Amino acid sequence: MHPKPEALPDALIVIDVQNDFCPGGSLAVTDGDAILPRINAMMRAFQSVVLTQDWHPANHSSFAANHPGAEPFSMIEMPYGPQVLWPVHCVQGSRGADFHADLSLDRAAMILRKGYDPKIDSYSAFFENDRKTPTGLEGYLRARGLSELTIAGLATDFCVAYSALDAARLGFAVTVDLGASRAIDLNGSLADAIGQMRAAGVRLVD
Ligand code: VGL
Ligand code: ZN
């Protein structure tokens, strides 16, 4: 009798580790690039790795520049709810939208792009910001039998948190690795996101 080899945990979802969210980028997250060694090492410990990529057209409605007179980081009301207006970032095909050069891509089974509809933002890897329009990631994970997810990347309080909350709502078992994530922290958004993830049953590890 041979013991069954310990199965690797299911899926690692790496959120938006792109140049524009790293130091020097247009929406730089403090120390965003500090997570790279840890993320790269984590990839080897999962059955499947999914990378997401924020992927906006230049006329995207989440850009302050597309709302005359509006300042970056101000809020507007969109048909689907409140929306932060961001500096122009992750424009399709731009250097800022590329993955950070040190991000290991070899083990990525899937690269999911989001935020390409000019009318609606998409923080989450699962749904656009109306919390209804699916990206297809749920179907991908279910079809492959991947039900336990670890989520990390940029930024903790926006795309990571929205992805984790949606995944929990869909019934996945979700862990967020805070040590492999960094936050924007806009007006208390990090504390808010942590509180919401805890309340939703997301496991938080450091
Ligand atoms: C993100 C703001 C705008 C993120 C993306 O990846 O957290 N934040 N677009
Ligand atoms: Zn974006």
Side-chain angles (χ1 to χ4, degrees):
M1 285 276 286
H2 294 283
K4 224 176 145 193
E6 188 87 347
L8 290 176
D10 288 352
L12 174 66
I13 302 181
V14 179
I15 304 289
D16 300 0
V17 183
Q18 293 166 264
N19 290 322
D20 272 341
F21 297 122
C22 290
S26 64
L27 183 43
V29 179
T30 307
D31 288 334
D33 55 347
I35 64 176
L36 280 154
R38 183 149 162 179
I39 296 248
N40 288 338
M42 283 166 78
M43 288 184 189
R44 289 191 282 275
F46 287 84
Q47 283 180 48
S48 188
V49 175
V50 174
L51 308 180
T52 71
Q53 198 171 19
D54 214 32
W55 195 249
H56 300 308
N59 66 344
H60 198 257
S61 55
S62 78
F63 295 165
N66 294 325
H67 300 263
E71 289 296 321
F73 306 106
S74 64
M75 301 285 305
I76 55 160
E77 202 55 45
M78 295 290 278
Y80 52 84
Q83 168 72 46
V84 180
L85 292 179
W86 300 106
V88 173
H89 65 278
C90 297
V91 173
Q92 295 170 1
S94 69
R95 209 192 145 266
D98 284 346
F99 290 117
H100 188 288
D102 295 342
L103 183 69
S104 167
L105 306 179
D106 299 358
R107 294 215 61 242
M110 184 189 196
I111 296 176
L112 180 102
R113 287 171 168 170
K114 61 185 180 64
Y116 43 72
D117 179 347
K119 296 184 298 303
I120 182 167
D121 209 354
S122 188
Y123 294 151
S124 165
F126 292 91
F127 296 100
E128 301 193 354
N129 280 12
D130 59 4
R131 313 307 288 263
K132 287 199 292 266
T133 308
T135 63
L137 182 58
E138 179 193 4
Y140 173 84
L141 295 169
R142 291 212 200 280
R144 296 202 49 210
L146 303 166
S147 59
E148 291 179 11
L149 313 180
T150 294
I151 305 180
L154 305 173
T156 313
D157 44 346
F158 288 93
C159 292
V160 171
Y162 273 65
S163 299
L165 291 169
D166 282 345
R169 181 162 58 90
L170 291 169
F172 292 94
V174 189
T175 299
V176 165
D177 191 322
L178 295 172
S181 304
R182 289 293 183 277
I184 295 175
D185 205 8
L186 188 64
N187 305 318
S189 55
L190 177 58
D192 214 56
I194 300 253
Q196 284 189 49
M197 288 191 282
R198 279 220 174 89
V202 173
R203 191 170 146 253
L204 301 175
V205 299
D206 222 326

